[in-house]
């Protein structure tokens, strides 16, 4: 298992290098002048040129990328903000806990709702309850994050006036963002849980367990659900990474000071080091989540753990 984890960690290096190159290239080719945005629209041409020179924006693409890569690899330095002149790493670490809190809360809601409703739908196959839960899943999949967020604000903040529409400093302020971000993911997890449970419940060892007189709860939660969790864990891992991306819209809608909102503000001002640093941080977290998911496979299914060895 240790050798496998080290191998996966080594694979992260070319993956992150590829991400950095692609994002750096896209930002380099994007329209707009970062030096002009840093200087201000009414700044003299000489001032803009001086800023462009100081930021190294006059250099060829490969030179700029090489300098960025050198600072990243040798000094773990994500660069300096064009707008504030401060460290990108410090700016990201200041808002990253808020984003983790948002995505983490949404993921917990998605897991609890998704697995609970998925198991219930599988046990009540082709019943009215199954139809309701399946309809809920279809609505969740079809409803984008920005729409569900606005709908929750209209219902619970504007109409009922029971929950605040912005902020993220108290549990009451966190409820709407958590549900807005986690609603779609819960639908995805629910559909996968239902499908996996239906497949497992048809297996011979489940029928044998019923024939032995084991309690229904033990059969469902010990024998069936445990074996159905492998595809579900994969889905949860993918959704966890997707929630970090979805936080960009959620933080903008609910005025939450996280990485997503920082990226949106940086895009407006063409603060490329902040954008690149935020994407790199999200890519690292997403990659680590993938490794954690693979490790969890071994604890759930001993056969997979033996393959690691």
């Amino acid at each position: 298992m240790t050798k496998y984890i080290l191998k996966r960690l080594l694979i992260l290096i070319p993956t992150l290098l590829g991400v950095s190159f692609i994002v750096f290239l896209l930002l380099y080719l994007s329209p707009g002048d970062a030096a002009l945005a840093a200087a201000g629209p009414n700044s003299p041409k000489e001032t803009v040129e001086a800023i462009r020179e100081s930021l190294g924006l006059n250099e060829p693409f490969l030179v700029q990328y090489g300098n960025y890569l050198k600072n990243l690899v040798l000094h773990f330095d994500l660069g300096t903000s064009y707008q504030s002149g401060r460290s990108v790493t410090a700016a990201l670490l200041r808002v990253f806990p808020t984003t983790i809190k948002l995505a983490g809360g949404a993921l917990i809601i998605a897991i609890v709702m998704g697995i609970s409703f998925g198991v219930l739908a599988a046990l009540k196959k082709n019943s009215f309850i199954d139809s309701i839960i399946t309809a809920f899943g279809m609505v969740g999949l079809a409803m984008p994050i920005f729409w569900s967020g606005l709908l929750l604000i209209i219902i619970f903040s504007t109409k009922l006036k029971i929950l605040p529409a912005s902020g993220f400093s108290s549990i009451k302020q966190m409820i709407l963002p958590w549900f807005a971000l986690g609603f779609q993911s819960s639908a995805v997890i629910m559909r996968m849980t239902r499908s996996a449970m239906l497949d497992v419940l048809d297996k011979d060892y489940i029928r044998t367990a019923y024939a032995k007189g084991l309690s229904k709860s033990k059969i469902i939660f010990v024998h069936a659900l445990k074996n159905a969790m492998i595809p579900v864990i994969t889905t949860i891992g993918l959704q966890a990474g997707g929630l970090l991306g979805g936080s960009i819209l959620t933080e903008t809608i609910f005025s939450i000071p996280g990485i997503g909102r920082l990226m949106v503000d940086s895009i407006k001002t063409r603060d490329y080091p902040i954008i690149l640093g935020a994407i790199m941080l999200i890519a690292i977290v997403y990659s680590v989540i993938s490794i954690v998911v693979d490790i969890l496979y071994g604890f759930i299914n001993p056969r997979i753990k033996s393959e690691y060895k």
Side-chain angles (χ1 to χ4, degrees), residues 159-179:
K159 298 295 184 181
L160 300 179
K161 301 183 185 300
I162 57 177
L163 292 171
S166 62
F168 204 68
S169 58
S170 65
I171 294 296
K172 199 172 183 180
Q173 291 176 329
M174 296 176 186
I175 293 175
L176 290 186
W178 278 344
F179 274 94

Side-chain angles (χ1 to χ4, degrees), residues 10-209:
L10 289 176
I11 294 175
L12 284 182
I13 298 175
T15 301
L16 295 177
L17 288 176
V19 170
S20 67
F21 180 81
I22 293 173
V23 176
F24 200 97
L25 179 61
L26 292 175
L27 293 176
Y28 180 81
L29 297 176
S30 63
D33 190 344
L36 180 61
N42 299 321
S43 299
K45 185 177 180 180
E46 294 78 10
T47 303
V48 176
E49 288 298 327
I51 292 177
R52 185 178 289 109
E53 184 69 27
S54 66
L55 295 177
L57 298 176
N58 288 329
E59 301 287 346
F61 167 75
L62 290 179
V63 175
Q64 292 186 40
Y65 178 68
N67 291 331
Y68 174 80
L69 205 59
K70 181 178 68 176
N71 290 329
L72 179 62
V73 174
L74 298 180
H75 308 291
F76 301 100
D77 183 10
L78 291 172
T80 303
S81 169
Y82 289 166
Q83 294 294 319
S84 65
R86 297 178 180 177
S87 168
V88 171
T89 304
L92 294 176
L93 292 180
R94 187 177 65 252
V95 298
F96 189 56
T98 301
T99 299
I100 289 296
K101 190 186 298 183
L102 171 62
L107 182 62
I108 291 173
I109 289 175
I111 291 173
V112 172
M113 292 179 60
I115 293 180
S116 300
F117 287 148
V119 171
L120 181 60
L123 295 176
K124 302 292 184 180
K125 181 183 176 181
N126 297 329
S127 67
F128 177 73
I129 294 176
D130 183 26
S131 300
I132 293 296
I133 295 175
T134 302
F136 155 80
M138 295 177 64
V139 171
L141 289 173
M143 188 177 292
I145 293 173
F146 71 87
W147 176 249
S148 61
L150 293 174
L151 190 63
L152 289 173
I153 289 175
I154 292 172
I155 295 175
F156 294 99
S157 296
T158 306
K159 298 295 184 181
L160 300 179
K161 301 183 185 300
I162 57 177
L163 292 171
S166 62
F168 204 68
S169 58
S170 65
I171 294 296
K172 199 172 183 180
Q173 291 176 329
M174 296 176 186
I175 293 175
L176 290 186
W178 278 344
F179 274 94
L181 184 57
F183 183 61
Q184 190 177 67
S185 294
S186 68
V188 176
I189 295 171
M190 181 277 294
R191 288 171 64 90
M192 179 55 70
T193 304
R194 179 183 183 275
S195 177
M197 281 293 293
L198 287 175
D199 182 61
V200 170
L201 289 173
D202 283 338
K203 299 296 184 182
D204 291 337
Y205 65 85
I206 296 296
R207 288 191 284 269
T208 302

Side-chain angles (χ1 to χ4, degrees), residues 1 4-5 7-9 11-12 15-16 107 230 233-242 244 281-298 304 308:
M1 177 70 78
Y4 175 79
I5 295 173
K7 184 179 178 181
R8 288 299 306 271
L9 289 174
I11 294 175
L12 284 182
T15 301
L16 295 177
L107 182 62
I230 291 179
I233 286 178
T234 303
T235 303
I236 291 173
L238 294 173
Q239 292 304 309
L244 289 173
L281 183 57
I282 291 174
I284 292 172
V285 174
Y286 193 94
S287 300
V288 171
I289 289 173
S290 298
I291 295 175
V292 172
V293 168
D294 287 346
I295 294 172
L296 287 176
Y297 287 162
I304 296 178
Y308 289 158

Side-chain angles (χ1 to χ4, degrees), residues 250-272:
T250 309
E251 290 172 4
T252 302
I253 294 171
F254 291 95
S255 299
I256 299 172
I259 279 186
R261 190 176 177 187
L262 179 63
M263 286 182 64
V264 172
D265 293 340
S266 299
I267 290 171
K268 294 177 182 177
T269 59
R270 296 184 176 85
D271 198 345
Y272 297 150

